[in-house]
Amino acid sequence: MNTGPGTQINATFDFEELRSYLDGRLRTQVGARHGNGRIPADEVAQIRRRFARPGGYDGARQKLAKTGILFLCGEPGSGRRGTATQLLGVVGDPTGVGREIRELPDQEEAPYLDETRIHPAELLLLDAATDGGYPLRELQGELSSYRASVAARGAYLVVLVSPDEERALQGRFDSLVAHIQRPEGREVLWRHLADLGITPADTVMAEQETQQWLCSADVREAAHLASLINHARERDGGRGEFHDWLQEARSALQDWDESVAGQIDRCGTSRQRAVLLAAAMFEGCSADRVFYAAEELLPRVATPEDDLPELERQRFSCQLQELDVPLEGRRTRFRKLNYGAAMRNRFWDDFPGLRGRFEEWIDACLRHHELSEAERGLITDRLADQHLRCGSTEELFAMVERWTRQGGQMGEAPFAPRQALQLLGRLLDDEYADHPTRARIREWALEPGLSTPLAEVLIVVCREFLAETYPDQAFVRLRHLARHPRASIANEAKRVIMELAGGDAELRGVLLRILAYRLARRHRQARRIHDADTELLWRVTDPGLPIAGVGDRVSSTQPAHHLLTSAMVAVMAADPAQAGRYARRWLESSAANPRWSAAMLDPMVQAAAEAGCCARLYTAARRWALEAPNPREQFPRRRAAELLTDRVDHSQGFTFDTTHRTDTAEEAAQ
């Protein structure tokens, strides 16, 4: 609906465009995954290459090898996460080939841990040490029984514990606690540089100033220095000496606040400060981009300037030169590494009252300026950096909502959904914003009136981000989106669910558990079963898609076939015709693949019995047997039908006689 003057312009953004953008742009920007989830084997291998042993490592390794479970405690900066990864790799994967590590918890609410999902010799990691982790106090009761299941399956579990959280153990796991101390900064730096293909000069590393810095550096600081050295090498095109790269990196580690603040204070006019901020935000872009960005910013932060004609004003290149912003091939770049970032931080911190206008300015630049896709991604990243640095996740959530709303009515610059997708990717990659972002995605997915562009973005986020690290949470959110009132959204959500589950029997087991619990609960509460859940259950129980754990225990309380039973009871009780539908599919699959059909027979019959639908199975079987298209199929059809009807008879505790079978067959034929 267009309620104002002017022409309404609708731009369509399809899922393939968003996926293409995600693969082509975001994968080059995001780093290692933070928070819980799956740590892929290649990331485990990289961590092991860069690992430097902390104090107490040998004792921790021996304790984990002996008990299979370890509570690893250390101060921030001691390398707890890297040590846990190394320990699991050494003890649980002695061949060194590299194995994936699964992170706990299994779900977002109690019970957090599912003992039946533990695979033999699986490597498990639970982070209870960071702000984004789960409080150890809430997990203690579950860990007692979970520990026994870990041992029974020959798996290995490391729980990360902060010194404060260690007190919460209350003496129950004292014998399983190991403490580590920060490793040498020199060793951490050397290993990171070696992995980056950089050979440090011994004479440079032995310099007193470098030695003093490394003695006080923790693991993150030393790793960050290695990254800056590599950045300096890349800026230099691989030319130069290690000494120069190290000096530039060390300079970048300095606190530029005083230098940056002094430069801002020396700017006597709003125009100079606007140019300086534009140069910092658009660093690496062309001078033209910086000029137009500054012109866009000035009206928002300054009083009207004089009417001096533009040709009589100071040349823009001179303005940049006065501000010590050199041009390299017509692109702006500050001379000092990380100086532009410090400048952006200083403006953001020193002018909090202007942050809203800064956001409006960046929004306008992204929409109206002739920016390339890479430049838009760069500016979006820098805006996200400021909010993440200040812990302003709510502002980023609001920006995602605003940009996706704009995405449906912007013909001039179709950036909005893609940049909203990028913001969500950054939030999910942040150690502290990850948990609240997943919670917000769930809230959005539950909204009945969720906008179509935002729903499209969430589907892609679930598919490309959450499914990678939190498959169960991805399924939960996609399941909510599968009930979206817009058919295209609902169908795409269901398609993505089955795309994820279709190629992985383990994920189908996860999906089945989610559906079974939700369907059974709605059945107990006499609430309406959603059509989307009925359809998803039908798809996940497709004969061509065996489910991991059928016949085995996949829940702490029920075997897998009980999950199937409880789910089918709900849909059959809500719609008895579903019993006949499941029966016909089982009969057809039985004729084609008797081995698979045997696993589904008992849950289906038991569900029909509990839902009062056994007659539907009986009728469907007899009709199907009589519908044989040719004499050759009559015998296999009759055999499959009799197998089903015999099982129905058995479930009822009696056996029908031949006369009754004849009467039922005649009734079915009618």
Side-chain angles (χ1 to χ4, degrees):
M1 178 174 65
N2 184 13
T3 58
T7 303
Q8 174 174 302
I9 302 174
N10 292 320
T12 301
F13 304 92
D14 59 24
F15 294 104
E16 291 303 325
E17 180 185 357
L18 289 176
R19 289 196 202 105
S20 175
Y21 176 77
L22 185 74
D23 291 336
R25 173 66 188 162
L26 294 187
R27 295 303 186 191
T28 64
Q29 296 184 37
V30 299
R33 303 292 301 176
H34 295 288
N36 305 327
R38 295 178 177 178
I39 307 178
D42 58 344
E43 187 176 329
V44 172
Q46 183 188 70
I47 292 173
R48 294 182 67 172
R49 291 195 305 271
R50 298 182 174 188
F51 178 72
R53 289 191 176 195
Y57 172 81
D58 289 335
R61 178 179 57 79
Q62 293 169 7
K63 192 166 290 189
L64 178 62
K66 181 179 179 180
T67 64
I69 182 171
L70 179 73
F71 290 82
L72 188 66
C73 184
E75 296 288 345
S78 60
R80 290 177 304 218
R81 188 177 180 85
T83 301
T85 304
Q86 175 73 4
L87 286 169
L88 288 168
V90 170
V91 176
D93 180 26
T95 62
V97 175
R99 287 177 53 198
E100 179 182 273
I101 296 175
R102 181 164 67 89
E103 291 201 54
L104 304 172
D106 292 304
Q107 54 189 26
E108 301 169 87
E109 54 191 24
Y112 296 103
L113 306 176
D114 187 347
E115 301 170 23
T116 61
R117 290 186 63 183
I118 304 173
H119 292 292
E122 189 173 19
L123 308 182
L124 303 166
L125 176 63
L126 173 59
D127 188 353
T130 64
D131 292 340
Y134 286 75
L136 197 59
R137 294 175 182 85
E138 298 183 25
L139 293 163
Q140 275 198 87
E142 296 182 44
L143 279 170
S144 296
S145 60
Y146 196 79
R147 171 189 173 187
S149 298
V150 168
R153 290 169 174 79
Y156 294 94
L157 168 64
V158 175
V159 182
L160 300 183
V161 183
S162 67
D164 292 336
E165 285 287 350
E166 185 183 4
R167 302 187 189 97
L169 294 175
Q170 301 173 348
R172 300 169 67 181
F173 302 105
D174 284 350
S175 62
L176 302 175
V177 177
H179 296 83
I180 58 170
Q181 295 79 42
R182 177 171 57 85
E184 292 185 7
R186 177 189 176 93
E187 180 71 10
V188 176
L189 178 62
W190 186 87
R191 287 189 173 275
H192 277 72
L193 289 175
D195 193 46
L196 292 168
I198 300 174
T199 303
D202 292 337
T203 55
V204 176
M205 294 286 283
E207 292 177 355
Q208 184 176 1
E209 185 181 3
T210 301
Q211 289 279 20
Q212 289 177 347
W213 187 91
L214 289 173
C215 284
S216 62
D218 63 26
V219 171
R220 289 185 180 181
E221 291 170 338
H224 182 50
L225 178 61
S227 176
L228 290 173
I229 292 172
N230 187 50
H231 189 187
R233 178 183 65 164
E234 291 175 347
R235 274 170 54 110
D236 201 21
R239 298 179 297 273
E241 300 293 334
F242 176 78
H243 179 273
D244 299 327
W245 303 334
L246 176 62
Q247 291 306 312
E248 188 174 359
R250 287 287 311 281
S251 297
L253 286 174
Q254 295 180 16
D255 189 352
W256 294 121
D257 276 0
E258 186 176 342
S259 176
V260 167
Q263 186 173 2
I264 294 174
D265 290 341
R266 288 191 296 273
C267 294
T269 65
S270 294
R271 171 170 287 279
Q272 287 180 313
R273 293 187 175 185
V275 171
L276 194 58
L277 176 55
M281 186 60 72
F282 286 77
E283 182 182 10
C285 299
S286 68
D288 291 349
R289 300 277 194 267
V290 176
F291 171 78
Y292 287 115
E295 293 296 311
E296 188 84 50
L297 176 61
L298 270 171
R300 303 172 190 276
V301 297
T303 56
E305 295 188 278
D306 57 47
D307 295 328
L308 188 67
E310 286 196 39
L311 280 176
E312 297 181 27
R313 296 178 183 175
Q314 185 183 36
R315 291 181 294 113
F316 189 64
S317 59
C318 291
Q319 296 178 45
L320 292 174
Q321 186 175 1
E322 285 185 358
L323 295 171
D324 198 24
V325 182
L327 290 173
E328 294 185 2
R330 289 192 51 78
R331 292 188 176 274
T332 58
R333 190 177 77 172
F334 289 95
R335 299 183 192 280
K336 302 169 184 175
L337 193 63
N338 271 12
Y339 195 85
M343 183 70 70
R344 296 189 291 272
N345 295 347
R346 194 71 274 143
F347 269 102
W348 203 266
D349 292 344
D350 285 348
F351 300 96
L354 293 177
R355 289 177 186 174
R357 299 185 197 179
F358 291 161
E359 285 185 15
E360 293 173 5
W361 164 59
I362 294 171
D363 187 282
C365 290
L366 290 172
R367 265 192 295 135
H368 299 305
H369 287 203
E370 295 290 333
L371 296 172
S372 68
E373 187 175 287
E375 289 171 334
R376 280 202 178 93
L378 186 66
I379 305 309
T380 302
D381 260 349
R382 288 171 178 169
L383 177 60
D385 286 339
Q386 296 307 317
H387 284 293
L388 291 173
R389 189 174 59 86
C390 300
S392 307
T393 55
E394 289 297 326
E395 284 80 355
L396 288 176
F397 294 152
M399 200 173 302
V400 167
E401 291 180 330
R402 184 171 69 249
W403 281 356
T404 49
R405 282 199 304 270
Q406 292 173 343
Q409 296 181 341
M410 293 171 52
E412 71 274 24
F415 82 94
R418 286 182 278 182
Q419 262 42 71
L421 182 64
Q422 182 177 351
L423 283 182
L424 285 174
R426 285 297 308 276
L427 283 160
L428 288 170
D429 273 329
D430 184 80
E431 182 176 359
Y432 302 104
D434 175 47
H435 188 272
T437 302
R438 286 183 279 115
R440 178 55 63 92
I441 291 174
R442 188 169 186 263
E443 292 173 10
W444 276 328
L446 282 165
E447 289 181 12
L450 182 69
S451 70
T452 298
L454 180 52
E456 292 173 347
V457 167
L458 295 185
I459 288 174
V460 178
V461 167
C462 288
R463 177 182 180 270
E464 299 293 342
F465 281 98
L466 286 184
E468 210 176 279
T469 53
Y470 296 91
D472 52 337
Q473 294 186 24
F475 283 141
V476 168
R477 286 147 183 76
L478 287 168
R479 172 181 167 267
H480 293 317
L481 291 168
R483 301 199 298 268
H484 194 277
R486 191 179 183 93
S488 61
I489 296 297
N491 291 336
E492 177 67 6
K494 287 181 282 192
R495 189 196 68 79
V496 170
I497 288 174
M498 294 314 302
E499 176 185 299
L500 295 171
D504 191 323
E506 179 66 24
L507 289 182
R508 285 193 292 279
V510 172
L511 177 58
L512 171 62
R513 187 179 66 255
I514 292 170
L515 291 172
Y517 288 156
R518 270 61 176 184
L519 287 166
R521 184 170 60 188
R522 297 188 76 85
H523 176 56
R524 287 194 304 270
Q525 297 171 350
R527 299 169 64 189
R528 186 179 71 84
I529 301 295
H530 294 291
D531 292 341
D533 288 342
T534 300
E535 183 178 348
L536 286 171
L537 181 66
W538 174 259
R539 292 191 187 186
V540 80
T541 55
D542 186 290
L545 299 174
I547 300 171
V550 170
D552 301 324
R553 293 184 66 81
V554 296
S555 164
S556 59
T557 58
Q558 298 175 313
H561 74 271
H562 284 176
L563 288 176
L564 286 167
T565 300
S566 62
M568 287 190 285
V569 166
V571 299
M572 290 180 185
D575 180 10
Q578 291 290 339
R581 190 180 180 214
Y582 274 92
R584 290 189 67 90
R585 187 172 67 169
W586 180 87
L587 290 163
E588 290 169 359
S589 67
S590 178
N593 191 342
R595 179 179 300 178
W596 181 90
S597 62
M600 280 290 294
L601 178 57
D602 286 339
M604 181 182 67
V605 172
Q606 184 179 343
E610 292 183 24
C613 299
C614 279
R616 298 272 183 169
L617 297 187
Y618 220 98
T619 301
R622 304 309 296 173
R623 281 183 175 165
W624 183 78
L626 294 171
E627 290 172 359
N630 54 64
R632 186 174 11 178
E633 291 193 22
Q634 287 178 355
F635 176 73
R637 283 199 173 216
R638 188 174 66 231
R639 182 177 57 187
E642 288 181 354
L643 179 60
L644 174 55
T645 54
D646 286 345
R647 198 60 59 94
V648 171
D649 294 345
H650 180 73
S651 72
Q652 299 299 304
F654 55 85
T655 304
F656 288 112
D657 58 27
T658 307
T659 304
H660 186 90
R661 288 184 183 280
T662 304
D663 293 342
T664 306
E666 292 174 353
E667 179 184 333
Q670 294 173 2

